[in-house]
Structure formats: structure tokens, C-alpha cells
Amino acid sequence: MSEDLNQVEVKSFEIGDKVTGQVTKVEEKQVLVNLQDSKLDGIIPISELSSLHIEKASDVVSEGDSLELEVLKVEEDALILSKRKVDAEKAWDHLEKKFHDGDIFETEVKDVVKGGLVVDLGVRGFVPASLVEPFFVEDFSDYKGRKLTFKIVELDKEKNRLILSHRAVVEAEKGKQKQNRLESLQVGQVIDGVVQRITDFGAFVDIGGIDGLVHISQLSYDHVDKPTDVVQEGQNVKVKVLNVDRDNERISLSIKETLPGPWSNISERAPKGSELTGTVKRLVSYGAFVEVLPGVEGLVHISQIAHKHIGTPHEVLKEGQEVKVKVLDVNEQDQRLSLSIKELLEKDVEENLDFVLPEESKGFQLGEVIGDKLKNLKK
């Protein structure tokens, strides 16, 4: 009689009906439930417990759990039910809103499969390998069980297709940080950075989510042939902001301007009366500019080049020539050095120096030479 009643009651249900049941027994491949307000039992096959593949029913439900279910099949004295379909139906509505709103949310990676990651959002969500990180990842095995932030990039309910991206979240955050960093930068700021990339024309330095260029001319006060002679990738450096082009997202930086200038402490490095060796850099009508330290040039006035009268510095000097000079005066504030070649020639016979005399200067009188030497001896 009771079996007849069960059969009658079972037949009162139709496929697609929504019911509530309490878990009475969890077996390995199925779950038994008792339907609310009924003496009927229902069966949930393991494949209908979750949108993901599971090995054991106990991974999803426990005895005593109350579940919302959908009738899949009506049998003689029991109902075949699905938890997965109810969960999916609720999930799609929720997920469609997230997709249209562009929401970012956090969820756990349930599985690592060939080609990407799998998450459970009430329906199976797939994260292709190319959408996991902004960089190449060779092995995803340690991603299982990790919680990551995601954004839905593709949703098709009819095809049961849900594609997620963690990479999009990371890149959007970087873009926001980059914009904030651009807005905060001010010309003249000195900040810390890390050398990211080196090219023939300079080095790109990361200054907090955005790269700026240190042109080769801004790497050092010394002449630089190759940027790698001065900096290396990964090196921590201090840089000064020279220019910020927010529209084109271009930043010009300088390492050179954070370093002590070539004229810093020049009074100590080239004190008055000191003797130095330098290189003739430029010849002008009134004298010669000699580089005595990297980036430091001093003037040898034409009257301080030789004891004898010369019409132009070109008569006795040439660019690139190495000379010994004496510091006559130092002005660190105005970055000026007064030098003399003549002062050191008093110690030697001037004729022994490799001075080049033009043809018109060779018609001198013997008395002039002897007279110059006598003057030197009197000194």
C-alpha cells in the first residue's frame, strides 16, 4: 500500500520541478535526500552535484545539508535530482550582471588543466593560460587552491561558456597605478628607480609602475660610449625628473643631475698653485680651454701660453694635445679656472717643447731669443 502511495506521489512531480531536500546519506557516487514535506526519497548522481568534475560526493555535500534541487527524471518510486542545474541557473543571472558591469571578484582556483585554470562559480569557469598573468608561466601546478581576482571576458549561457581573466585585472591595476604615478610626478623631483632596459641611446628606469628614459647624455658627467659602461639592468639608481609628457606618457630622467657635479669641491681637487695634466679641448683667439678633470675645463689665456709673444694659440697648441698647467685662480661658484702653461715652462728651456711655429714666425732675430733667455735667468 505504501509503495502504491509512493508511486502516486512520485507521479505528481514533473521534470523541471524545483524541490528542497535534506541529505540523508552520502555514498561515493551518489547522494540520497529526503524531500521536504514528503516521504519521498530522491537521488542525486555525483555528476549532478557540481559543475566541476569531482571524485567523491563527500567533497561537495554532507549529511544533514539542505539542498535546492531540480527534478531530472521521474522513476517508479524515486526522483532523480540535480543540484548542479539549480546552482547554474542562479549563477548565470549573477554572472551576467558581473559581466555587463565589468566587476572584479575573487575566487579560488579549483583545478589546473591542460591549457589553463578552472574555477567554480556555480558554473564551470575557464581561465586560458594566456589570460592568467601578464607574463609567461611555464608551470601552473602551484596555482591550485590559490585565490585570485578575476574579470569575466566572455559569457555565453547557451553554450555554457564562461571565460575569465586574471591578467586583465592585473593590467588594469597597473594602468591605474601608472596614471596616478604620472599625475604625481613633478619636474625637479629626485626619486629612486630600477634600471629595466638598456638601449644604445640610454636606459629605461622603472620609477614605480612607469618607465622613464635616461638619455645617454644624462647618465654621467663623463663622456659615455655605451650605457652599459655606466649602468646595468636591475641596478637601483637615483634619478631626477627633467620632463613629464602626460599626454604621451613620456618621462625624461637624469642620473647625472643627482651626482656631485664636476665642479663640486673643485677648490680642493684643483687648488690654487697646483700642477695638473690636461687636454686641450678648444682653441680660441684669446686662449685655450684645457680639460683638467672630467667635465672641468679651465682657460689658459693667450698671455699664459708661452714666454714669447704669440699671435694666436694655434701657433703653439693643437686640440687634443696633452699639456701641463698650473692653477692660477679657482672660482667654484662661477665654475671658472684660470690656468697657465707658461708658469711651468720657467723650469725648462722653452725650445725643447714641441711647439709648432708657422713659417712667418721663423724669421726671428738671434738677439730676441737670447734676450728672452736672459729675462728668464734674471727671474
Side-chain angles (χ1 to χ4, degrees), residues 189-349:
Q189 270 184 293
V190 175
I191 49 183
D192 293 322
V194 180
V195 178
Q196 291 291 92
R197 219 164 24 98
I198 297 176
T199 67
D200 292 339
F201 54 85
F204 287 93
V205 176
D206 180 357
I207 51 174
I210 188 168
D211 288 352
L213 174 64
V214 180
H215 189 266
I216 191 170
S217 63
Q218 292 295 327
L219 287 170
S220 173
Y221 285 105
D222 298 340
H223 172 73
V224 178
D225 290 319
K226 296 182 300 179
T228 49
D229 292 339
V230 182
V231 291
Q232 302 297 321
E233 287 185 6
Q235 181 179 341
N236 293 316
V237 292
K238 281 196 179 295
V239 291
K240 183 177 181 179
V241 180
L242 300 182
N243 186 53
V244 181
D245 182 347
R246 293 183 173 86
D247 293 334
N248 296 304
E249 297 186 354
R250 291 179 182 171
I251 304 163
S252 298
L253 305 171
S254 174
I255 291 175
K256 179 174 76 174
E257 292 203 15
T258 68
L259 304 172
W263 288 86
S264 178
N265 298 323
I266 195 64
S267 299
E268 297 175 13
R269 295 187 293 143
K272 184 176 179 179
S274 60
E275 298 177 8
L276 306 168
T277 299
T279 303
V280 178
K281 289 292 184 180
R282 286 179 296 135
L283 295 175
V284 292
S285 60
Y286 53 86
F289 286 93
V290 177
E291 186 179 56
V292 292
L293 293 167
V296 177
E297 291 182 11
L299 174 65
V300 181
H301 190 266
I302 191 169
S303 63
Q304 291 295 327
I305 292 176
H307 290 294
K308 58 175 162 289
H309 172 75
I310 57 173
T312 67
H314 295 81
E315 295 177 22
V316 292
L317 297 173
K318 56 186 177 182
E319 289 182 2
Q321 182 179 344
E322 189 175 276
V323 292
K324 291 188 179 297
V325 293
K326 183 176 182 178
V327 179
L328 300 181
D329 189 46
V330 185
N331 188 327
E332 188 168 327
Q333 185 174 352
D334 295 335
Q335 297 187 354
R336 288 181 182 174
L337 269 184
S338 296
L339 307 172
S340 174
I341 294 174
K342 183 176 75 174
E343 288 278 320
L344 299 182
L345 295 182
E346 294 174 347
K347 300 175 183 177
D348 302 294
V349 179

Side-chain angles (χ1 to χ4, degrees), residues 114-128:
K114 185 179 180 180
L117 311 176
V118 173
V119 300
D120 183 10
L121 295 171
V123 295
R124 181 182 186 273
F126 182 61
V127 189

